């Protein structure tokens, strides 16, 4: 069942200067959808526009059939759409627990505490660091906190903008393994990535975005095994 | 040398610190220097005077120089000053903020400041006014320091307000949201924080504390339409010394400025008092721009 549907989206920071130019994507329940593409293709702008952070001038965003195109950013999370930005995705001058607590603000007050404990069971490292300032965490721990922060409100769709950015290969493996685990709970994940190898390894389907719209779409394995796409758009030749 | 300046500086610093909280909140959350903040102090003080006038005089609660009317008026005036700040934001600042150029908002706050000041002078005249003309007998504390009952009451009020404010910002969900928004507005929106509610809370708290500070000045000194302008430099210096965004920093900054001004009066003469805040402000900007508790911009 399709949860997120984006139709012919046009978006950009300045009027008349669209970065996203007619992109259409969709994601089904419990699916991991990867969005790849060369630098400047509009990948980050696409999910920021879906999240309400880049003005949309055309097209539609449907979440579970409801039109959320013009819903303000702060209300989209209430509709079940969570977003983890690439950088500055935590509040560094707040503790780990405060990051979770402030993000759980849209839950009924009585649910926040128990939900934080559930999150700590999923992310045991965070439980040990709950009193630390988030700004003192390592890059991998920050990404885990950013994901945990987004999950606290039980979203239906989780969008992540390059969660592997700045992480060592080992940490990338850990973050992506955790995303695979999280998907098992039925969560839909939309992943924008430069690290095509790691993203396609966990993805079900993928889009290759070129000049603001999708140029290719298909099962992740198919795109990864297509030598033309890999060389032209993913910036690499397959290692083997 | 008399140590009375320590007590005087502490009391003066409390008033500056309360004013500086509003400045630091406005700057860190709304991202502009509000030069009309001093006039919120003056408007708050005069609003309390008007409410006292409506409630009528009563016997002071000895040994204080004031009674229940001023205490009631303080609460009402805090609400009215908060309302004034919200109206000003709705009429002026919010529209200019939406254009995304903070310098325009800063210049607008200059204009608002002048308008508010002149309006106050038009309504209440420029003659000094007083909540009470009762004479206070100071009690000796030792070491040559004396304190009046009003000073004790207002120091206690400062402690209550600052503690309450600190607990609100640290423990309440709205307080966490205010801190989150000041650190990263875009992320705050993404996690569902209602930005409008955060902005309203910032104005309400800042203006209410400015009013409390203004009423303190009016109680201990006198009310004048220019009282807010006179306090503007010290409260900015205190906010910057404490570190923009830090409430404990603003209070500590206020105390340092207050004590420094009082020491300057004692040591080098009253005519240098106004220069002290300026010197401290310049020194902080040159040596440690992030202030005592601030965090360097990344």
């Amino acid at each position: 069942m399709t949860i997120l549907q984006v139709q012919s989206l046009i978006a950009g920071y300045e009027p008349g200067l669209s970065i996203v130019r007619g992109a259409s994507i969709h994601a089904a329940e419990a699916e991991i959808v990867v969005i790849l593409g060369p630098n400047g293709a509009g990948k980050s702008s696409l999910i920021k526009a879906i999240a309400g952070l880049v003005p949309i001038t055309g097209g539609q965003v449907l979440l579970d059939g409801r039109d959320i195109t013009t819903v303000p950013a702060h209300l989209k999370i209430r509709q079940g759409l969570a977003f983890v930005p690439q950088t500055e995705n935590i509040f560094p001058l707040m503790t780990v627990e405060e990051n979770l607590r402030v993000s759980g603000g849209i839950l009924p007050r009585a649910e926040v505490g128990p939900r934080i404990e559930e999150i700590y069971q999923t992310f045991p490292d965070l439980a040990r660091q709950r009193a630390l300032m988030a700004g003192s965490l390592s890059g991998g721990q920050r990404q885990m906190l950013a994901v945990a922060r987004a999950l606290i409100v039980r979203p239906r769709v989780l969008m992540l903008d390059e969660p592997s950015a700045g992480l060592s290969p080992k940490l990338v493996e850990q973050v992506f393994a955790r995303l695979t685990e999280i998907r098992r709970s039925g969560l839909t994940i939309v992943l924008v990535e430069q690290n095509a190898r790691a993203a396609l390894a966990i993805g079900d389907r993928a889009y290759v975005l070129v000049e603001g719209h999708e140029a290719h779409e298909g099962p992740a394995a198919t795109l990864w095994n297509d030598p033309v796409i890999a060389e032209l758009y993913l910036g690499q030749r397959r290692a083997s | 040398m008399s140590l009375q300046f320590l007590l005087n500086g502490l009391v003066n610093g409390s008033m500056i610190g309360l004013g500086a909280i509003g400045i630091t909140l406005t700057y860190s959350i709304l991202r502009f220097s509000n030069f009309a903040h001093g006039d919120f102090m003056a408007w708050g003080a005069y609003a309390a005077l008007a409410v006292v006038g409506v409630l009528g005089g009563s016997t002071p609660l000895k040994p204080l120089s004031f009674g229940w009317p001023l205490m009631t008026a303080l609460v009402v005036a805090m609400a009215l000053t908060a309302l004034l700040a919200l109206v000003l934001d709705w009429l002026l600042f919010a529209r200019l903020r939406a254009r995304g150029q903070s310098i325009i908002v800063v210049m607008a706050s200059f204009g608002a400041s002048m308008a508010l000041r002149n309006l106050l002078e038009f309504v209440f005249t420029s003659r000094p006014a007083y909540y009470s003309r009762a004479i206070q007998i100071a009690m000796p504390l030792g070491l040559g320091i004396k304190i009046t009952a009003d000073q004790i009451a207002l120091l206690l009020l400062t402690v209550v307000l600052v503690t309450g404010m600190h607990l609100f910002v640290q423990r309440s969900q709205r307080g966490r949201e205010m801190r989150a928004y000041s650190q990263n507005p875009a992320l705050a929106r993404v996690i569902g924080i209602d930005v409008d509610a955060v902005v309203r809370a910032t104005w309400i708290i800042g203006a209410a504390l400015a009013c409390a500070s203004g009423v303190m000045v009016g109680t201990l000194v006198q009310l004048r339409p220019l009282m807010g302008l006179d306090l503007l430099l010290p409260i900015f210096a205190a906010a910057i010394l404490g570190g923009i965004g830090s409430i404990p920093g603003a209070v500590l900054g206020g105390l340092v400025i207050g004590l420094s001004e009082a020491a300057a009066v004692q040591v080098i003469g009253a005519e240098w008092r106004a220069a002290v805040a300026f010197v401290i402000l310049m020194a902080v900007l040159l040596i440690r721009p992030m202030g005592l508790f601030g965090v360097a911009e990344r």
Side-chain angles (χ1 to χ4, degrees):
Chain A
M1 190 182 103
T2 300
I3 295 290
L4 179 69
Q5 185 145 24
V6 178
Q7 296 169 340
S8 309
L9 202 71
I10 301 170
Y13 294 95
E14 299 289 335
L17 285 175
S18 300
I19 299 168
V20 181
R21 301 174 191 136
S24 296
I25 64 166
H26 67 272
E29 195 170 345
E31 189 180 30
I32 297 183
V33 172
V34 180
I35 300 173
L36 302 164
N39 282 335
K43 307 183 295 292
S44 293
S45 299
L46 171 61
I47 57 167
K48 281 183 185 169
I50 297 170
L53 296 178
V54 174
I56 294 173
T57 52
Q60 259 192 330
V61 179
L62 303 172
L63 183 69
D64 223 0
R66 279 167 296 148
D67 188 347
I68 60 161
T69 315
T70 56
V71 171
H74 76 276
L75 295 179
K76 286 194 172 168
I77 186 72
R78 292 168 195 264
Q79 313 256 354
L81 185 71
F83 173 53
V84 177
Q86 179 185 347
T87 55
E88 298 182 6
N89 50 23
I90 54 163
F91 299 107
L93 303 179
M94 298 171 90
T95 65
V96 167
E97 177 128 345
E98 283 179 326
N99 265 270
L100 296 174
R101 216 163 260 287
V102 75
S103 303
I106 64 169
L107 295 172
R109 190 175 293 185
E111 275 185 36
V112 177
R115 182 63 186 144
I116 288 176
E117 292 308 317
E118 283 176 27
I119 289 287
Y120 283 151
Q121 285 172 11
T122 312
F123 298 89
D125 283 353
L126 294 182
R128 285 188 287 276
Q129 295 156 331
R130 63 173 73 189
L132 289 182
M133 281 293 166
S136 69
L137 300 180
S138 68
Q141 291 166 339
R142 283 183 184 218
Q143 282 297 359
M144 291 297 188
L145 174 58
V147 173
R149 186 189 50 62
L151 291 178
I152 198 162
V153 292
R154 299 189 186 90
R156 299 200 65 192
V157 177
L158 174 64
M159 301 192 299
L160 300 108
D161 189 2
E162 299 203 30
S164 73
L167 299 186
S168 68
K170 192 179 171 190
L171 285 174
V172 172
E173 204 174 295
Q174 285 176 13
V175 171
F176 279 31
R178 193 54 60 87
L179 291 179
T180 312
E181 283 170 29
I182 293 164
R183 180 264 287 275
R184 291 195 194 108
S185 66
L187 183 73
T188 301
I189 296 176
V190 177
L191 188 60
V192 162
E193 258 303 337
Q194 286 280 9
N195 187 340
R197 175 192 291 270
L200 290 175
I202 65 163
D204 298 308
R205 266 183 330 107
Y207 292 89
V208 178
L209 220 64
V210 179
E211 294 180 353
H213 62 90
E214 74 289 0
H216 300 276
E217 178 204 353
T222 307
L223 283 184
W224 181 243
N225 287 317
D226 186 324
V228 177
I229 290 176
E231 191 171 344
L232 280 179
Y233 301 121
L234 309 185
Q236 60 192 321
R237 287 178 183 276
R238 283 190 302 130
S240 58
Chain B
M1 187 173 81
S2 168
L3 295 178
Q4 183 63 35
F5 80 92
L6 291 173
L7 192 272
N8 294 344
L10 194 65
V11 173
N12 194 33
S14 301
M15 297 184 279
I16 294 170
L18 280 180
I21 291 175
I23 290 287
T24 209
L25 285 178
T26 314
Y27 194 94
S28 65
I29 293 174
L30 305 177
R31 287 180 161 66
F32 81 100
S33 304
N34 179 20
F35 286 94
H37 194 76
D39 298 284
F40 290 162
M41 297 165 96
W43 269 72
Y46 275 95
L49 183 70
V51 175
V52 167
V54 170
L55 293 176
S58 72
T59 314
L61 294 169
K62 290 291 181 187
L64 298 170
S65 71
F66 54 86
W68 289 111
L70 183 61
M71 291 186 226
T72 310
L74 171 64
V75 177
V76 176
M78 286 169 84
L80 290 173
T81 313
L83 185 65
L84 170 71
L86 290 173
V87 169
L88 200 60
D89 185 57
W90 174 70
L91 269 178
L92 186 65
F93 298 137
R95 295 162 202 262
L96 297 173
R97 263 199 321 275
R99 297 185 190 178
Q101 287 180 295
S102 63
I103 188 65
I104 294 176
V105 192
V106 173
M107 298 315 291
S109 78
F110 266 117
S113 166
M114 282 190 277
L116 288 173
R117 199 159 52 242
N118 288 317
L119 195 56
L120 207 53
E121 204 163 356
F122 178 74
V123 175
F124 290 94
T125 78
S126 57
R127 265 177 300 170
Y130 300 86
Y131 293 125
S132 164
R133 290 184 185 270
I135 292 176
Q136 288 247 289
I137 305 298
M139 298 167 279
L141 277 182
L143 299 170
I145 303 173
K146 290 181 177 176
I147 189 167
T148 65
D150 282 5
Q151 287 175 323
I152 294 172
L154 296 179
L155 283 174
L156 286 175
L157 175 65
T158 304
V159 171
V160 169
L161 289 175
V162 170
T163 306
M165 183 62 219
H166 182 69
L167 290 175
F168 172 79
V169 169
Q170 292 298 322
R171 304 274 176 86
S172 74
Q173 179 62 16
R174 183 68 76 216
R176 278 190 287 269
E177 289 176 357
M178 289 169 69
R179 284 190 288 145
Y181 186 79
S182 74
Q183 290 174 43
N184 189 334
L187 185 60
R189 287 165 64 203
V190 163
I191 69 168
I193 291 177
D194 182 350
V195 174
D196 291 340
V198 167
V199 169
R200 280 196 299 274
T202 304
W203 282 121
I204 289 169
I205 292 167
L209 293 181
C211 170
S213 175
V215 170
M216 285 169 72
V217 176
T219 306
L220 296 178
V221 192
Q222 59 182 199
L223 291 93
R224 288 182 308 115
L226 290 177
M227 62 195 282
L229 183 66
D230 294 344
L231 279 166
L232 200 58
L233 181 59
I235 61 177
F236 264 99
I240 290 168
L241 173 62
I244 287 296
S246 169
I247 290 169
V251 177
L252 185 63
L255 293 177
V256 170
I257 300 284
L259 285 166
S260 304
E261 285 185 347
V265 171
Q266 175 92 0
V267 177
I268 54 176
E271 68 273 24
W272 292 98
R273 175 181 172 157
V276 170
F278 182 72
V279 170
I280 292 175
L281 178 63
M282 286 296 117
V284 173
L285 289 175
L286 289 171
I287 298 165
R288 192 179 160 83
M290 75 285 280
L292 296 173
F293 295 100
V295 177
E297 297 257 341
R298 282 169 297 163

